Amino acid sequence: MAEKVIMLGNEAIARGAYEAGVKVSSAYPGTPSTEISEYLVQYKEDVYEEWAPNEKVAAEVAVGASISGVRAMACMKHVGLNVAADPLYSVSYMGVNGGLVLVVADDPGLYSSQNEQDTRMVARAAQIPVIEPSDSAEAKDFFKTAFELSEKYDRPFIFRTTTRLAHSQGLVELQERNEVPDKEYVKNIRKNVMMPGNARLRHVEIEKRNQELAEAANTLPINTLEMNDTSIGVITSGIPYQYVKEALPNVSVLKLGMVNPLPRKMIEDFAAKVDTLYIVEELDPVIEEQVKSWGIQAIGKEIFTVQGEYSANMLRTAVLKEEVKVKAPAEAPQRPPILCPGCPHRSVYHVLNKLKLHAAGDIGCYTLGAVAPLSVVDTTMCMGSSISTLHGMEKARGREYIKDWVAVIGDSTFLHTGVNSLMNMVYNHASGTVMILDNSTTGMTGHQDHAATGKTLMGDPTYAIDIPALCKALGVKNVVEVNAFDISLLEKTIKEEQAKEEVSVIITKSPCVLLDKSKKPLYIAHEDKCKKCGMCMKPGCPAMTKNVDGTIHIDDTMCTGCGLCETLCKFDAIELVKVGE
Ligand SMILES: Cc1ncc(C[n+]2csc(CCOP(=O)(O)OP(=O)(O)O)c2C)c(N)n1
């Protein structure tokens, strides 16, 4: 009998990739997609997996592997698909050789993202078919279906998940790996060289393929019909299906495993059989707008929100008009997002705050420099944008204007897309100061390696890109490295580099505090020496609190021994009491 195990959605996708015979996977981390690649590593004997510097590269690596004739995948979060949009739109025309699937994880409710975009919209624009599972078992099995359909219809597929699916568990039945033979590579420039004459013909071709797929969708086993009470019918897909089953167990349901293209005939037949039709989909009215465009009456976003996650209770209220009494959650004290104790970013922001500088910020742990008491980061848009935002300000308002500004960016983000922006600054005679907060990891998403850490996803040692040398190679003449905790040197360096008329890069090189698991030195505060000046509290370290009398207390369970508070105390009230063993 087949073994059954409980798996997270992301784990099940990795298993699905293994069973589907995938040979190459490339990814850039992004919550909630990251663990797919991390789980895939257990299959490294059979599947090559890597971290790419960004999602465009990851997608292109997968396309290359597919052209060569093997099953290939790339993984990213929803905003990563924007970075990969360029290859996405063109590979849509090219089609595949070996099956090609991009896993894209959406984040309704914005648990860890900068927007709530709906991948199905992007997929529709790029004319890419989309499969969406509703639990871990489907995550594994539908992933295999995606490869089969990809090869059958010569289409790259998107496999859409959401945070709830990625991070909840379900029962999965393990199967053997399908050792799919490599396909022959046949040179075909009409298919694989997207110049106008070829692309024009491919456009016609993919319209045809999508039509065929839409027709086939009416009988695909991943689109399922559950006929019950016909007074209410619901069309749904993905995780919202679970809420429908919980809140409305007796209604008839059309569950779509493939959400683009839609099975029109199946939907029309279903709509004809039910009295009132609801369309339950998180985020945008993607299914709803199409269904209504076919003249079918349905209720959707009139009563359901386009924001956030759905729930069974939300459906009970909206559809059944039930007053749902939920026990109010215990009043938890407000906890603002905060940098970890000992985080080197805090030290950098303390200095920037002291110098009253604004920062064009970027995406990473260091985005938290936007909140009090650090309050340095003024802008955060998307990965890599800090440097170009600063550049835009300078070109708009002149050099003097950005004297109060720097750009801050993390090491992983710099290698992701920041490097292009720095190139642009050098090329276009900029004078701004860029600070690369190099903590030797991709901290925000849980410590993934990148091209400058010296280790691959599969655990092999590799060449570590030399970030200072990279900046110099781009033509930056002023490249300085400073320890993030040497705050007097950092302050001096920032002032000096700000005064220069050409681009400067300051790299604050101090590893993420969570990387070092060894015992740390420990500091205590002497109440008798404390003058209650509050200087040590300025950076907002969570290990430090005030006693009732205003003196300082250091929580030894939180202190990581970074020493920033000791550096700030002018009265020797903070002392190193124990050096780590
Ligand atoms: C296009 C895109 N891809 C991925 C992410 C997910 N993500 C957020 S921050 C980040 C990188 C953070 O690493 P780093 O720049 O080194 O800063 P740190 O968090 O270590 O301070 C990633 C991958 C994203 N927000 N956008």
Side-chain angles (χ1 to χ4, degrees):
M1 215 171 81
E3 191 187 347
K4 285 187 180 165
V5 287
I6 291 175
M7 283 187 172
L8 279 181
N10 278 347
E11 195 178 354
I13 293 171
R15 178 71 197 186
Y18 167 76
E19 290 182 5
V22 168
K23 286 221 168 125
V24 171
S25 171
S26 188
Y28 184 71
T31 313
S33 71
T34 314
E35 302 89 357
I36 301 169
S37 305
E38 293 170 333
Y39 279 115
L40 256 180
V41 174
Q42 65 190 297
Y43 308 114
K44 69 179 178 184
E45 298 299 315
D46 300 289
V47 187
Y48 166 82
E49 53 268 330
E50 65 173 26
W51 291 129
N54 65 39
E55 295 84 352
K56 171 174 150 60
V57 175
E60 290 160 351
V61 168
V63 171
S66 157
I67 290 173
S68 84
V70 309
R71 289 189 168 179
M73 63 190 272
C75 313
M76 60 203 72
K77 66 183 288 166
H78 60 325
V79 284
L81 190 62
N82 303 337
V83 179
D86 206 3
L88 179 80
Y89 280 76
S90 292
V91 74
S92 175
Y93 281 24
M94 291 161 63
V96 307
N97 187 20
L100 175 63
V101 180
L102 305 188
V103 185
V104 187
D106 284 3
D107 189 17
L110 290 146
Y111 288 96
S112 53
S113 305
Q114 68 265 39
N115 72 34
E116 226 178 353
Q117 75 189 46
D118 190 326
T119 289
R120 299 173 304 162
M121 283 292 205
V122 184
R124 284 203 77 208
Q127 293 160 296
I128 304 265
V130 183
I131 287 186
E132 184 172 16
S134 69
D135 59 23
S136 293
E138 288 186 358
K140 180 178 82 72
D141 294 338
F142 286 13
F143 203 60
K144 299 194 310 194
T145 309
F147 280 97
E148 284 152 21
L149 293 174
S150 169
E151 285 168 1
K152 182 165 179 195
Y153 291 92
D154 190 8
R155 310 291 303 123
F157 268 65
I158 284 179
F159 198 75
R160 184 210 189 211
T161 73
T162 56
T163 306
R164 189 65 50 185
L165 181 109
H167 292 164
S168 24
Q169 295 181 317
L171 205 58
V172 170
E173 195 175 297
L174 302 187
Q175 274 137 6
E176 294 298 310
R177 177 172 165 87
N178 179 5
E179 288 297 352
V180 186
D182 295 352
K183 290 195 166 178
E184 191 191 347
Y185 169 74
V186 182
K187 184 177 164 93
N188 183 353
I189 63 166
R190 283 189 175 276
K191 185 171 188 294
N192 290 328
V193 178
M194 283 305 94
M195 53 193 186
N198 293 345
R200 237 171 255 136
L201 297 175
R202 287 304 298 175
H203 193 178
V204 177
E205 181 66 21
I206 67 151
E207 292 291 345
K208 213 173 90 202
R209 296 281 159 109
N210 279 346
Q211 280 298 326
E212 286 167 12
L213 193 56
E215 197 50 51
N218 291 305
T219 50
L220 278 181
I222 58 173
N223 292 331
T224 49
L225 208 53
E226 297 170 24
M227 290 312 290
N228 287 313
D229 177 2
T230 53
S231 60
I232 291 181
V234 178
I235 301 176
T236 188
S237 69
I239 279 289
Y241 166 76
Q242 307 293 352
Y243 308 140
V244 171
K245 292 303 286 178
E246 188 180 330
L248 314 166
N250 301 321
V251 305
S252 295
V253 179
L254 171 53
K255 174 159 81 70
L256 300 174
M258 187 156 76
V259 288
N260 188 47
L262 294 177
R264 181 168 177 170
K265 180 152 187 330
M266 202 177 190
I267 289 173
E268 283 171 343
D269 289 351
F270 180 68
K273 286 187 194 133
V274 297
D275 301 338
T276 309
L277 180 65
Y278 291 90
I279 298 176
V280 179
E281 53 187 328
E282 282 173 337
L283 300 180
D284 295 339
V286 178
I287 301 172
E288 180 184 339
E289 282 181 355
Q290 291 176 80
V291 168
K292 286 183 173 170
S293 78
W294 300 330
I296 297 172
Q297 280 199 352
I299 302 170
K301 297 299 175 187
E302 301 91 333
I303 59 166
F304 306 124
T305 174
V306 290
Q307 288 152 346
E309 278 195 304
Y310 285 10
S311 67
N313 278 344
M314 185 207 119
L315 295 183
R316 286 186 187 104
T317 310
V319 178
L320 305 175
K321 312 286 176 234
E322 271 178 17
E323 213 184 294
V324 183
K325 290 206 177 76
V326 193
K327 215 172 133 215
E331 276 286 307
Q334 291 276 319
R335 277 204 315 163
I338 197 161
L339 293 167
C340 304
C343 173
H345 300 335
R346 174 177 289 105
S347 185
V348 175
Y349 283 130
H350 172 72
V351 176
L352 291 173
N353 177 299
K354 186 175 171 207
L355 295 174
K356 299 197 167 30
L357 292 176
H358 302 259
D362 223 296
I363 306 210
C365 295
Y366 49 90
T367 307
L368 294 174
V371 294
L374 301 164
S375 310
V376 170
V377 172
D378 282 17
T379 67
T380 295
M381 181 168 52
C382 62
M383 287 190 73
S385 62
S386 54
I387 303 178
S388 11
T389 305
L390 180 71
H391 181 66
M393 287 177 175
E394 177 173 8
K395 291 302 163 190
R397 306 292 296 268
R399 199 174 154 249
E400 276 310 304
Y401 184 81
I402 59 152
K403 280 279 152 232
D404 294 339
W405 284 78
V406 292
V408 290
I409 187 164
D411 43 339
S412 187
T413 305
F414 177 67
L415 296 171
H416 177 274
T417 30
V419 77
N420 308 62
S421 308
L422 186 60
M423 197 186 297
N424 186 47
M425 278 182 99
V426 176
Y427 174 46
N428 289 306
H429 305 290
S431 71
T433 301
V434 173
M435 300 190 63
I436 303 176
L437 276 46
D438 182 356
N439 59 2
S440 310
T441 191
T442 315
M444 184 82 168
T445 43
H447 294 147
Q448 289 74 35
D449 281 294
H450 59 60
T453 63
K455 212 166 111 203
T456 68
L457 172 60
M458 289 160 86
D460 302 320
T462 185
Y463 175 72
I465 301 258
D466 181 336
I467 293 180
L470 174 60
C471 297
K472 283 183 196 150
L474 292 177
V476 181
K477 295 198 185 96
N478 314 304
V479 179
V480 196
E481 275 187 276
V482 188
N483 178 336
F485 291 106
D486 190 343
I487 54 176
S488 48
L489 180 60
L490 188 56
E491 183 175 339
K492 183 169 154 281
T493 307
I494 294 170
K495 283 182 187 157
E496 280 170 10
E497 297 308 316
Q498 283 283 79
K500 291 185 179 161
E501 296 197 3
E502 289 166 320
V503 182
S504 292
V505 173
I506 302 171
I507 301 161
T508 58
K509 178 93 184 156
S510 301
C512 170
V513 62
L514 301 179
L515 282 180
D516 183 2
K517 304 268 187 279
S518 63
K519 288 209 176 123
K520 306 286 179 353
L522 190 67
Y523 288 85
I524 58 158
H526 292 291
E527 287 159 25
D528 52 330
K529 290 189 188 167
C530 178
K531 299 278 185 275
K532 308 174 191 174
C533 68
M535 270 309 287
C536 61
M537 295 289 280
K538 280 206 159 177
C541 174
M544 309 198 60
T545 46
K546 272 189 184 170
N547 295 317
V548 187
D549 65 356
T551 56
I552 298 303
H553 173 74
I554 300 175
D555 180 342
D556 60 7
T557 60
M558 291 180 94
C559 175
T560 63
C562 74
L564 181 61
C565 54
E566 187 203 25
T567 319
L568 292 169
C569 180
K570 295 201 171 58
F571 307 105
D572 295 330
I574 295 176
E575 193 194 358
L576 175 68
V577 287
K578 204 164 108 201
V579 180
E581 297 122 34

